Amino acid sequence: MKRFVSVGLIILFLCLSVASVHAEVISTSAEAFVLYCPDNGELLLSDDADQEMPIASTTKIMTTLITLEEAAKDNRVVEFTDDMIAEGSSMYLKRGEKVTLYDLAVGMMMQSGNDAANAAAIAVAGSIEDFAALMNEKAQAIGMTHTHFVTPSGLDDEAHYSTAFDMALLMACALENEDFAHITSQTSMEVHFVYPADKFITYPNHNKLLRLYDDCIGGKTGYTDLAGRTLVTASKRDGLTLIAVTLNDHDDWDDHIALYDYGFENRQMKTFRIDERQLDVVGGVKDSVMLQPVDVSAVVPSNSGEIKEQVILPAFVYAPVKAGESTGTVKFIMDGKLIAQAPITAAQSVDYDNRKRNIIDYIKDLLNWHS
């Protein structure tokens, strides 16, 4: 069985500051933006990445993520009540109607429903305030150090803000949730109401980049008078994932396309394979153990130079050996820098030879290994 190793261990060209990274390479209309690679943590491009700003309905990435995590445990039915009513964009829920938590997530990501966000928040935490506490707790766990949430919808509040870089971290985290990744990738989704049972609505996704850019795999739009146009999207090509965030950007669709074109032109995902091999075993019922083949993926510049492979294995191992046990390491070096590494593991178990053995037997084993 192949062992696939996602290499987030080594960050290529990681910049010490995220304030501005080669922003002059791409000109955008955004007040703040980032182009981020979650595969290795590299910030490819940015401008004012840590500037705290209103983020409008891109807030619903967090609200949706928490809602889906709760729905995975208990996809309960939510009855829409007066305290869930919200101004602005809506999935058009009416008092007394019932939908599941999962479908509230659909309403948030497709229609950007503020009513869906309020309904999910109250259903999950009991109140808007308590849900905001969950949002801030989650943000801290993700590493969003310049973010504070007040509302589940993203409606303007002076104490509700984030940054372009923090929102990229949030999107990267959300994409790890299979339900979120599926919903955000759809151009439209249908919601069947629990009550009334004969009601269903097809909601189109406001994220036009799904139709404008073939590699786009999802995202969330946002707009308020205070925040301007905000947009968080993700794209994937040949195994490489990139995330773009623009805040207060009147030309966000074109800017995201330009950012992705730059990213995919300058970075690629490469996979290196270490074939199956044997390692000698001393004191076992077998004289050797097979080692798993290893596929190691790493993000490298598109014009990368020679990449050298370094396999580090002992001359032999002592029995017993367990399947899956680490026996060594493989490293890949480019321009003198470590770009990827992964453990090499045993493909099978080798038990200790329990027969009575004397010192001559052990010497023979060692001599057999040397020969």
Side-chain angles (χ1 to χ4, degrees):
M1 174 177 152
K2 295 182 180 178
R3 180 181 179 89
F4 289 89
V5 181
S6 175
V7 179
L9 302 174
I10 306 303
I11 300 177
L12 299 175
F13 311 107
L14 179 64
C15 298
L16 297 177
S17 169
V18 296
S20 181
V21 182
H22 303 304
E24 71 280 0
V25 175
I26 294 291
S27 177
T28 76
S29 300
E31 186 175 344
F33 76 88
V34 300
L35 178 64
Y36 175 74
C37 178
D39 297 319
N40 67 347
E42 182 185 4
L43 194 62
L44 281 76
L45 297 170
S46 73
D47 190 29
D48 287 331
D50 284 336
Q51 182 179 341
E52 296 173 354
M53 298 174 62
I55 54 173
S57 282
T58 57
T59 296
K60 295 187 181 82
I61 297 172
M62 176 65 86
T63 307
T64 299
L65 177 59
I66 294 174
T67 300
L68 289 172
E69 290 175 342
E70 185 66 22
K73 295 180 286 186
D74 177 16
N75 189 27
R76 55 188 176 274
V77 174
V78 179
E79 181 176 350
F80 193 72
T81 58
D82 286 341
D83 57 345
M84 298 172 179
I85 295 173
E87 62 181 276
S89 56
S90 175
M91 69 177 292
Y92 309 111
L93 295 171
K94 299 177 182 178
R95 183 174 60 185
E97 291 184 333
K98 299 177 182 180
V99 294
T100 64
L101 280 177
Y102 183 92
D103 284 333
L104 289 174
V106 172
M108 283 186 274
M109 292 305 293
M110 296 295 110
Q111 196 69 13
S112 197
N114 293 338
D115 51 353
N118 280 0
I122 293 171
V124 169
S127 70
I128 299 295
E129 294 74 19
D130 287 343
F131 189 81
L134 292 180
M135 298 171 77
N136 289 315
E137 181 181 330
K138 185 79 170 178
Q140 187 175 21
I142 293 171
M144 302 171 69
T145 57
H146 294 278
T147 296
H148 187 260
F149 293 110
V150 175
T151 76
S153 62
L155 289 174
D156 293 333
D157 188 295
E158 289 184 0
H160 187 97
Y161 56 83
S162 187
T163 69
F165 182 68
D166 277 5
M167 293 304 292
L169 294 180
L170 173 58
M171 187 63 174
C173 177
L175 286 172
E176 293 176 3
N177 182 290
E178 291 183 4
D179 289 329
F180 181 94
H182 171 71
I183 292 172
T184 195
S185 69
Q186 304 303 299
T187 55
S188 66
M189 290 188 74
E190 192 173 87
V191 170
H192 288 258
F193 284 59
V194 176
Y195 179 82
D198 60 347
K199 182 175 181 177
F200 65 91
I201 299 177
T202 299
Y203 296 102
N205 195 330
H206 288 184
N207 177 19
K208 294 181 181 178
L209 206 69
L210 287 168
R211 294 175 285 275
L212 294 173
Y213 200 72
D214 289 342
D215 299 308
C216 183
I217 58 172
K220 184 70 191 75
T221 61
Y223 175 81
T224 67
D225 288 340
L226 179 65
R229 292 177 62 89
T230 61
L231 183 61
V232 178
T233 64
S235 292
K236 188 170 186 175
R237 181 185 296 175
D238 297 330
L240 176 66
T241 300
L242 298 175
I243 293 172
V245 180
T246 51
L247 301 180
N248 191 17
D249 184 356
H250 63 80
D251 195 21
D252 46 12
W253 305 121
D254 288 339
D255 285 342
H256 278 235
I257 290 172
L259 289 169
Y260 286 132
D261 284 347
Y262 170 87
F264 289 125
E265 182 179 346
N266 286 277
R267 294 293 182 273
Q268 62 177 323
M269 181 71 77
K270 291 199 73 170
T271 299
F272 313 96
R273 182 173 177 82
I274 303 300
D275 292 329
E276 185 179 61
R277 61 184 65 200
Q278 286 187 332
L279 181 62
D280 290 313
V281 177
V282 173
V285 295
K286 295 173 62 177
D287 294 332
S288 64
V289 62
M290 296 303 299
L291 303 180
Q292 290 272 23
V294 182
D295 287 321
V296 186
S297 295
V299 180
V300 300
S302 299
N303 59 349
S304 60
E306 181 184 4
I307 298 173
K308 297 180 180 179
E309 170 191 312
Q310 182 181 7
V311 176
I312 303 171
L313 285 171
F316 62 90
V317 292
Y318 289 101
V321 180
K322 294 182 179 180
E325 178 181 332
S326 179
T327 58
T329 304
V330 58
K331 297 182 178 182
F332 294 90
I333 312 295
M334 183 179 68
D335 297 330
K337 296 180 180 179
L338 179 67
I339 62 168
Q341 67 177 5
I344 300 175
T345 62
Q348 56 192 172
S349 296
V350 178
D351 293 332
Y352 177 73
D353 189 347
N354 289 318
R355 295 173 301 172
K356 277 194 171 182
R357 303 171 64 82
N358 55 40
I359 188 63
I360 301 301
D361 294 321
Y362 286 111
I363 292 173
K364 286 180 178 179
D365 281 339
L366 289 172
L367 289 175
N368 286 337
W369 168 73
H370 279 295
S371 64

PDB file of all heavy atoms in Angstrom, residues 122-155:
ATOM      1  N   ILE A 122     -28.276  30.698  16.808  1.00  0.00           N
ATOM      2  CA  ILE A 122     -29.176  30.504  17.956  1.00  0.00           C
ATOM      3  C   ILE A 122     -29.428  29.020  18.195  1.00  0.00           C
ATOM      4  O   ILE A 122     -29.482  28.557  19.337  1.00  0.00           O
ATOM      5  CB  ILE A 122     -30.486  31.281  17.727  1.00  0.00           C
ATOM      6  CG1 ILE A 122     -30.197  32.791  17.756  1.00  0.00           C
ATOM      7  CG2 ILE A 122     -31.534  30.913  18.763  1.00  0.00           C
ATOM      8  CD1 ILE A 122     -31.360  33.657  17.341  1.00  0.00           C
ATOM      9  N   ALA A 123     -29.535  28.254  17.120  1.00  0.00           N
ATOM     10  CA  ALA A 123     -29.765  26.809  17.263  1.00  0.00           C
ATOM     11  C   ALA A 123     -28.559  26.109  17.881  1.00  0.00           C
ATOM     12  O   ALA A 123     -28.709  25.187  18.692  1.00  0.00           O
ATOM     13  CB  ALA A 123     -30.084  26.197  15.905  1.00  0.00           C
ATOM     14  N   VAL A 124     -27.356  26.552  17.520  1.00  0.00           N
ATOM     15  CA  VAL A 124     -26.141  25.896  18.005  1.00  0.00           C
ATOM     16  C   VAL A 124     -25.768  26.341  19.414  1.00  0.00           C
ATOM     17  O   VAL A 124     -25.432  25.523  20.272  1.00  0.00           O
ATOM     18  CB  VAL A 124     -24.963  26.167  17.042  1.00  0.00           C
ATOM     19  CG1 VAL A 124     -23.627  25.722  17.658  1.00  0.00           C
ATOM     20  CG2 VAL A 124     -25.190  25.459  15.716  1.00  0.00           C
ATOM     21  N   ALA A 125     -25.840  27.662  19.662  1.00  0.00           N
ATOM     22  CA  ALA A 125     -25.305  28.197  20.927  1.00  0.00           C
ATOM     23  C   ALA A 125     -26.347  28.785  21.855  1.00  0.00           C
ATOM     24  O   ALA A 125     -26.034  29.094  23.009  1.00  0.00           O
ATOM     25  CB  ALA A 125     -24.244  29.254  20.618  1.00  0.00           C
ATOM     26  N   GLY A 126     -27.579  28.977  21.378  1.00  0.00           N
ATOM     27  CA  GLY A 126     -28.622  29.542  22.227  1.00  0.00           C
ATOM     28  C   GLY A 126     -28.807  31.030  22.072  1.00  0.00           C
ATOM     29  O   GLY A 126     -29.882  31.558  22.378  1.00  0.00           O
ATOM     30  N   SER A 127     -27.782  31.729  21.613  1.00  0.00           N
ATOM     31  CA  SER A 127     -27.879  33.170  21.398  1.00  0.00           C
ATOM     32  C   SER A 127     -26.783  33.616  20.440  1.00  0.00           C
ATOM     33  O   SER A 127     -25.776  32.904  20.243  1.00  0.00           O
ATOM     34  CB  SER A 127     -27.733  33.941  22.718  1.00  0.00           C
ATOM     35  OG  SER A 127     -26.400  33.850  23.202  1.00  0.00           O
ATOM     36  N   ILE A 128     -26.972  34.800  19.845  1.00  0.00           N
ATOM     37  CA  ILE A 128     -25.972  35.370  18.955  1.00  0.00           C
ATOM     38  C   ILE A 128     -24.662  35.593  19.710  1.00  0.00           C
ATOM     39  O   ILE A 128     -23.569  35.303  19.207  1.00  0.00           O
ATOM     40  CB  ILE A 128     -26.469  36.701  18.354  1.00  0.00           C
ATOM     41  CG1 ILE A 128     -27.747  36.493  17.530  1.00  0.00           C
ATOM     42  CG2 ILE A 128     -25.376  37.363  17.519  1.00  0.00           C
ATOM     43  CD1 ILE A 128     -27.575  35.649  16.309  1.00  0.00           C
ATOM     44  N   GLU A 129     -24.767  36.103  20.943  1.00  0.00           N
ATOM     45  CA  GLU A 129     -23.579  36.428  21.731  1.00  0.00           C
ATOM     46  C   GLU A 129     -22.762  35.179  22.057  1.00  0.00           C
ATOM     47  O   GLU A 129     -21.533  35.178  21.960  1.00  0.00           O
ATOM     48  CB  GLU A 129     -23.979  37.148  23.021  1.00  0.00           C
ATOM     49  CG  GLU A 129     -24.593  38.528  22.823  1.00  0.00           C
ATOM     50  CD  GLU A 129     -26.032  38.476  22.296  1.00  0.00           C
ATOM     51  OE1 GLU A 129     -26.677  37.397  22.420  1.00  0.00           O
ATOM     52  OE2 GLU A 129     -26.503  39.508  21.768  1.00  0.00           O
ATOM     53  N   ASP A 130     -23.464  34.114  22.450  1.00  0.00           N
ATOM     54  CA  ASP A 130     -22.757  32.879  22.795  1.00  0.00           C
ATOM     55  C   ASP A 130     -22.132  32.234  21.556  1.00  0.00           C
ATOM     56  O   ASP A 130     -21.065  31.613  21.635  1.00  0.00           O
ATOM     57  CB  ASP A 130     -23.697  31.896  23.486  1.00  0.00           C
ATOM     58  CG  ASP A 130     -24.041  32.312  24.906  1.00  0.00           C
ATOM     59  OD1 ASP A 130     -23.311  33.162  25.462  1.00  0.00           O
ATOM     60  OD2 ASP A 130     -25.043  31.806  25.461  1.00  0.00           O
ATOM     61  N   PHE A 131     -22.798  32.379  20.415  1.00  0.00           N
ATOM     62  CA  PHE A 131     -22.225  31.839  19.184  1.00  0.00           C
ATOM     63  C   PHE A 131     -20.978  32.632  18.784  1.00  0.00           C
ATOM     64  O   PHE A 131     -19.987  32.054  18.329  1.00  0.00           O
ATOM     65  CB  PHE A 131     -23.240  31.866  18.045  1.00  0.00           C
ATOM     66  CG  PHE A 131     -22.776  31.134  16.810  1.00  0.00           C
ATOM     67  CD1 PHE A 131     -22.882  29.758  16.725  1.00  0.00           C
ATOM     68  CD2 PHE A 131     -22.223  31.822  15.736  1.00  0.00           C
ATOM     69  CE1 PHE A 131     -22.450  29.071  15.596  1.00  0.00           C
ATOM     70  CE2 PHE A 131     -21.795  31.152  14.599  1.00  0.00           C
ATOM     71  CZ  PHE A 131     -21.908  29.770  14.532  1.00  0.00           C
ATOM     72  N   ALA A 132     -21.011  33.953  18.967  1.00  0.00           N
ATOM     73  CA  ALA A 132     -19.834  34.772  18.670  1.00  0.00           C
ATOM     74  C   ALA A 132     -18.649  34.335  19.522  1.00  0.00           C
ATOM     75  O   ALA A 132     -17.497  34.346  19.060  1.00  0.00           O
ATOM     76  CB  ALA A 132     -20.142  36.244  18.910  1.00  0.00           C
ATOM     77  N   ALA A 133     -18.921  33.918  20.743  1.00  0.00           N
ATOM     78  CA  ALA A 133     -17.844  33.408  21.601  1.00  0.00           C
ATOM     79  C   ALA A 133     -17.240  32.142  21.009  1.00  0.00           C
ATOM     80  O   ALA A 133     -16.014  31.946  21.043  1.00  0.00           O
ATOM     81  CB  ALA A 133     -18.374  33.144  23.006  1.00  0.00           C
ATOM     82  N   LEU A 134     -18.089  31.275  20.442  1.00  0.00           N
ATOM     83  CA  LEU A 134     -17.583  30.072  19.778  1.00  0.00           C
ATOM     84  C   LEU A 134     -16.740  30.440  18.564  1.00  0.00           C
ATOM     85  O   LEU A 134     -15.705  29.815  18.295  1.00  0.00           O
ATOM     86  CB  LEU A 134     -18.744  29.179  19.335  1.00  0.00           C
ATOM     87  CG  LEU A 134     -19.584  28.510  20.418  1.00  0.00           C
ATOM     88  CD1 LEU A 134     -20.695  27.674  19.781  1.00  0.00           C
ATOM     89  CD2 LEU A 134     -18.715  27.633  21.309  1.00  0.00           C
ATOM     90  N   MET A 135     -17.171  31.447  17.823  1.00  0.00           N
ATOM     91  CA  MET A 135     -16.436  31.897  16.644  1.00  0.00           C
ATOM     92  C   MET A 135     -15.044  32.394  17.035  1.00  0.00           C
ATOM     93  O   MET A 135     -14.042  32.057  16.380  1.00  0.00           O
ATOM     94  CB  MET A 135     -17.201  33.010  15.928  1.00  0.00           C
ATOM     95  CG  MET A 135     -18.563  32.589  15.389  1.00  0.00           C
ATOM     96  SD  MET A 135     -19.533  33.989  14.787  1.00  0.00           S
ATOM     97  CE  MET A 135     -18.755  34.328  13.205  1.00  0.00           C
ATOM     98  N   ASN A 136     -14.970  33.179  18.095  1.00  0.00           N
ATOM     99  CA  ASN A 136     -13.683  33.719  18.526  1.00  0.00           C
ATOM    100  C   ASN A 136     -12.774  32.629  19.090  1.00  0.00           C
ATOM    101  O   ASN A 136     -11.554  32.675  18.916  1.00  0.00           O
ATOM    102  CB  ASN A 136     -13.903  34.830  19.552  1.00  0.00           C
ATOM    103  CG  ASN A 136     -14.481  36.082  18.920  1.00  0.00           C
ATOM    104  OD1 ASN A 136     -14.038  36.515  17.864  1.00  0.00           O
ATOM    105  ND2 ASN A 136     -15.489  36.656  19.547  1.00  0.00           N
ATOM    106  N   GLU A 137     -13.367  31.656  19.749  1.00  0.00           N
ATOM    107  CA  GLU A 137     -12.590  30.526  20.254  1.00  0.00           C
ATOM    108  C   GLU A 137     -11.995  29.727  19.091  1.00  0.00           C
ATOM    109  O   GLU A 137     -10.829  29.332  19.126  1.00  0.00           O
ATOM    110  CB  GLU A 137     -13.494  29.633  21.115  1.00  0.00           C
ATOM    111  CG  GLU A 137     -12.803  28.436  21.721  1.00  0.00           C
ATOM    112  CD  GLU A 137     -13.751  27.589  22.547  1.00  0.00           C
ATOM    113  OE1 GLU A 137     -14.716  28.150  23.109  1.00  0.00           O
ATOM    114  OE2 GLU A 137     -13.541  26.366  22.626  1.00  0.00           O
ATOM    115  N   LYS A 138     -12.811  29.518  18.062  1.00  0.00           N
ATOM    116  CA  LYS A 138     -12.338  28.797  16.877  1.00  0.00           C
ATOM    117  C   LYS A 138     -11.255  29.596  16.156  1.00  0.00           C
ATOM    118  O   LYS A 138     -10.244  29.031  15.700  1.00  0.00           O
ATOM    119  CB  LYS A 138     -13.514  28.537  15.936  1.00  0.00           C
ATOM    120  CG  LYS A 138     -13.192  27.679  14.721  1.00  0.00           C
ATOM    121  CD  LYS A 138     -13.151  26.223  15.098  1.00  0.00           C
ATOM    122  CE  LYS A 138     -13.068  25.343  13.882  1.00  0.00           C
ATOM    123  NZ  LYS A 138     -12.978  23.906  14.245  1.00  0.00           N
ATOM    124  N   ALA A 139     -11.442  30.895  16.055  1.00  0.00           N
ATOM    125  CA  ALA A 139     -10.455  31.752  15.393  1.00  0.00           C
ATOM    126  C   ALA A 139      -9.110  31.667  16.088  1.00  0.00           C
ATOM    127  O   ALA A 139      -8.055  31.586  15.439  1.00  0.00           O
ATOM    128  CB  ALA A 139     -10.950  33.194  15.371  1.00  0.00           C
ATOM    129  N   GLN A 140      -9.130  31.663  17.405  1.00  0.00           N
ATOM    130  CA  GLN A 140      -7.889  31.569  18.165  1.00  0.00           C
ATOM    131  C   GLN A 140      -7.197  30.230  17.906  1.00  0.00           C
ATOM    132  O   GLN A 140      -5.977  30.167  17.748  1.00  0.00           O
ATOM    133  CB  GLN A 140      -8.182  31.731  19.660  1.00  0.00           C
ATOM    134  CG  GLN A 140      -6.940  31.810  20.531  1.00  0.00           C
ATOM    135  CD  GLN A 140      -7.270  32.094  21.982  1.00  0.00           C
ATOM    136  OE1 GLN A 140      -8.391  31.872  22.438  1.00  0.00           O
ATOM    137  NE2 GLN A 140      -6.300  32.592  22.725  1.00  0.00           N
ATOM    138  N   ALA A 141      -7.989  29.159  17.835  1.00  0.00           N
ATOM    139  CA  ALA A 141      -7.426  27.826  17.581  1.00  0.00           C
ATOM    140  C   ALA A 141      -6.793  27.744  16.196  1.00  0.00           C
ATOM    141  O   ALA A 141      -5.791  27.051  16.007  1.00  0.00           O
ATOM    142  CB  ALA A 141      -8.516  26.766  17.734  1.00  0.00           C
ATOM    143  N   ILE A 142      -7.387  28.435  15.222  1.00  0.00           N
ATOM    144  CA  ILE A 142      -6.871  28.424  13.851  1.00  0.00           C
ATOM    145  C   ILE A 142      -5.584  29.242  13.736  1.00  0.00           C
ATOM    146  O   ILE A 142      -4.748  28.973  12.877  1.00  0.00           O
ATOM    147  CB  ILE A 142      -7.948  28.956  12.876  1.00  0.00           C
ATOM    148  CG1 ILE A 142      -9.126  27.988  12.813  1.00  0.00           C
ATOM    149  CG2 ILE A 142      -7.374  29.203  11.483  1.00  0.00           C
ATOM    150  CD1 ILE A 142     -10.320  28.530  12.049  1.00  0.00           C
ATOM    151  N   GLY A 143      -5.410  30.217  14.618  1.00  0.00           N
ATOM    152  CA  GLY A 143      -4.255  31.098  14.541  1.00  0.00           C
ATOM    153  C   GLY A 143      -4.576  32.460  13.956  1.00  0.00           C
ATOM    154  O   GLY A 143      -3.674  33.176  13.499  1.00  0.00           O
ATOM    155  N   MET A 144      -5.871  32.829  13.994  1.00  0.00           N
ATOM    156  CA  MET A 144      -6.303  34.130  13.485  1.00  0.00           C
ATOM    157  C   MET A 144      -6.070  35.179  14.570  1.00  0.00           C
ATOM    158  O   MET A 144      -6.935  35.452  15.396  1.00  0.00           O
ATOM    159  CB  MET A 144      -7.777  34.060  13.062  1.00  0.00           C
ATOM    160  CG  MET A 144      -8.053  33.010  11.999  1.00  0.00           C
ATOM    161  SD  MET A 144      -9.822  32.741  11.693  1.00  0.00           S
ATOM    162  CE  MET A 144     -10.284  34.290  10.894  1.00  0.00           C
ATOM    163  N   THR A 145      -4.893  35.789  14.561  1.00  0.00           N
ATOM    164  CA  THR A 145      -4.463  36.641  15.667  1.00  0.00           C
ATOM    165  C   THR A 145      -4.959  38.084  15.576  1.00  0.00           C
ATOM    166  O   THR A 145      -4.802  38.847  16.525  1.00  0.00           O
ATOM    167  CB  THR A 145      -2.929  36.648  15.759  1.00  0.00           C
ATOM    168  OG1 THR A 145      -2.381  37.075  14.505  1.00  0.00           O
ATOM    169  CG2 THR A 145      -2.403  35.244  16.080  1.00  0.00           C
ATOM    170  N   HIS A 146      -5.536  38.467  14.436  1.00  0.00           N
ATOM    171  CA  HIS A 146      -6.022  39.837  14.259  1.00  0.00           C
ATOM    172  C   HIS A 146      -7.508  39.831  13.896  1.00  0.00           C
ATOM    173  O   HIS A 146      -7.943  40.579  13.018  1.00  0.00           O
ATOM    174  CB  HIS A 146      -5.225  40.551  13.167  1.00  0.00           C
ATOM    175  CG  HIS A 146      -3.786  40.779  13.517  1.00  0.00           C
ATOM    176  ND1 HIS A 146      -3.365  41.825  14.301  1.00  0.00           N
ATOM    177  CD2 HIS A 146      -2.673  40.060  13.202  1.00  0.00           C
ATOM    178  CE1 HIS A 146      -2.057  41.763  14.447  1.00  0.00           C
ATOM    179  NE2 HIS A 146      -1.611  40.696  13.789  1.00  0.00           N
ATOM    180  N   THR A 147      -8.279  38.988  14.572  1.00  0.00           N
ATOM    181  CA  THR A 147      -9.691  38.801  14.225  1.00  0.00           C
ATOM    182  C   THR A 147     -10.556  38.849  15.474  1.00  0.00           C
ATOM    183  O   THR A 147     -10.173  38.320  16.524  1.00  0.00           O
ATOM    184  CB  THR A 147      -9.887  37.443  13.524  1.00  0.00           C
ATOM    185  OG1 THR A 147      -9.167  37.433  12.285  1.00  0.00           O
ATOM    186  CG2 THR A 147     -11.360  37.169  13.251  1.00  0.00           C
ATOM    187  N   HIS A 148     -11.725  39.483  15.339  1.00  0.00           N
ATOM    188  CA  HIS A 148     -12.728  39.438  16.413  1.00  0.00           C
ATOM    189  C   HIS A 148     -14.109  39.426  15.781  1.00  0.00           C
ATOM    190  O   HIS A 148     -14.436  40.265  14.946  1.00  0.00           O
ATOM    191  CB  HIS A 148     -12.599  40.631  17.355  1.00  0.00           C
ATOM    192  CG  HIS A 148     -13.495  40.523  18.549  1.00  0.00           C
ATOM    193  ND1 HIS A 148     -14.710  41.193  18.644  1.00  0.00           N
ATOM    194  CD2 HIS A 148     -13.375  39.803  19.692  1.00  0.00           C
ATOM    195  CE1 HIS A 148     -15.280  40.901  19.795  1.00  0.00           C
ATOM    196  NE2 HIS A 148     -14.500  40.056  20.456  1.00  0.00           N
ATOM    197  N   PHE A 149     -14.904  38.418  16.158  1.00  0.00           N
ATOM    198  CA  PHE A 149     -16.253  38.266  15.622  1.00  0.00           C
ATOM    199  C   PHE A 149     -17.292  38.744  16.626  1.00  0.00           C
ATOM    200  O   PHE A 149     -17.157  38.515  17.832  1.00  0.00           O
ATOM    201  CB  PHE A 149     -16.532  36.796  15.280  1.00  0.00           C
ATOM    202  CG  PHE A 149     -15.712  36.259  14.141  1.00  0.00           C
ATOM    203  CD1 PHE A 149     -14.709  35.321  14.366  1.00  0.00           C
ATOM    204  CD2 PHE A 149     -15.947  36.683  12.845  1.00  0.00           C
ATOM    205  CE1 PHE A 149     -13.961  34.816  13.315  1.00  0.00           C
ATOM    206  CE2 PHE A 149     -15.211  36.182  11.789  1.00  0.00           C
ATOM    207  CZ  PHE A 149     -14.214  35.248  12.030  1.00  0.00           C
ATOM    208  N   VAL A 150     -18.330  39.377  16.111  1.00  0.00           N
ATOM    209  CA  VAL A 150     -19.464  39.819  16.934  1.00  0.00           C
ATOM    210  C   VAL A 150     -20.765  39.236  16.408  1.00  0.00           C
ATOM    211  O   VAL A 150     -21.634  38.842  17.184  1.00  0.00           O
ATOM    212  CB  VAL A 150     -19.562  41.365  16.971  1.00  0.00           C
ATOM    213  CG1 VAL A 150     -20.811  41.805  17.734  1.00  0.00           C
ATOM    214  CG2 VAL A 150     -18.316  41.958  17.616  1.00  0.00           C
ATOM    215  N   THR A 151     -20.890  39.169  15.087  1.00  0.00           N
ATOM    216  CA  THR A 151     -22.117  38.665  14.471  1.00  0.00           C
ATOM    217  C   THR A 151     -21.826  37.435  13.624  1.00  0.00           C
ATOM    218  O   THR A 151     -20.735  37.302  13.068  1.00  0.00           O
ATOM    219  CB  THR A 151     -22.765  39.730  13.572  1.00  0.00           C
ATOM    220  OG1 THR A 151     -22.015  39.830  12.345  1.00  0.00           O
ATOM    221  CG2 THR A 151     -22.785  41.093  14.250  1.00  0.00           C
ATOM    222  N   PRO A 152     -22.809  36.521  13.490  1.00  0.00           N
ATOM    223  CA  PRO A 152     -22.612  35.354  12.629  1.00  0.00           C
ATOM    224  C   PRO A 152     -22.760  35.678  11.147  1.00  0.00           C
ATOM    225  O   PRO A 152     -22.337  34.904  10.290  1.00  0.00           O
ATOM    226  CB  PRO A 152     -23.708  34.390  13.081  1.00  0.00           C
ATOM    227  CG  PRO A 152     -24.791  35.280  13.597  1.00  0.00           C
ATOM    228  CD  PRO A 152     -24.092  36.456  14.215  1.00  0.00           C
ATOM    229  N   SER A 153     -23.351  36.836  10.841  1.00  0.00           N
ATOM    230  CA  SER A 153     -23.639  37.197   9.452  1.00  0.00           C
ATOM    231  C   SER A 153     -22.593  38.090   8.829  1.00  0.00           C
ATOM    232  O   SER A 153     -22.396  38.081   7.601  1.00  0.00           O
ATOM    233  CB  SER A 153     -24.996  37.904   9.372  1.00  0.00           C
ATOM    234  OG  SER A 153     -24.965  39.108  10.134  1.00  0.00           O
ATOM    235  N   GLY A 154     -21.924  38.908   9.646  1.00  0.00           N
ATOM    236  CA  GLY A 154     -20.951  39.856   9.110  1.00  0.00           C
ATOM    237  C   GLY A 154     -21.489  41.255   8.922  1.00  0.00           C
ATOM    238  O   GLY A 154     -20.804  42.104   8.342  1.00  0.00           O
ATOM    239  N   LEU A 155     -22.709  41.507   9.399  1.00  0.00           N
ATOM    240  CA  LEU A 155     -23.229  42.876   9.348  1.00  0.00           C
ATOM    241  C   LEU A 155     -22.309  43.795  10.142  1.00  0.00           C
ATOM    242  O   LEU A 155     -21.671  43.388  11.112  1.00  0.00           O
ATOM    243  CB  LEU A 155     -24.649  42.920   9.911  1.00  0.00           C
ATOM    244  CG  LEU A 155     -25.730  42.272   9.034  1.00  0.00           C
ATOM    245  CD1 LEU A 155     -27.074  42.238   9.765  1.00  0.00           C
ATOM    246  CD2 LEU A 155     -25.870  43.008   7.700  1.00  0.00           C
TER     247      LEU A 155
END
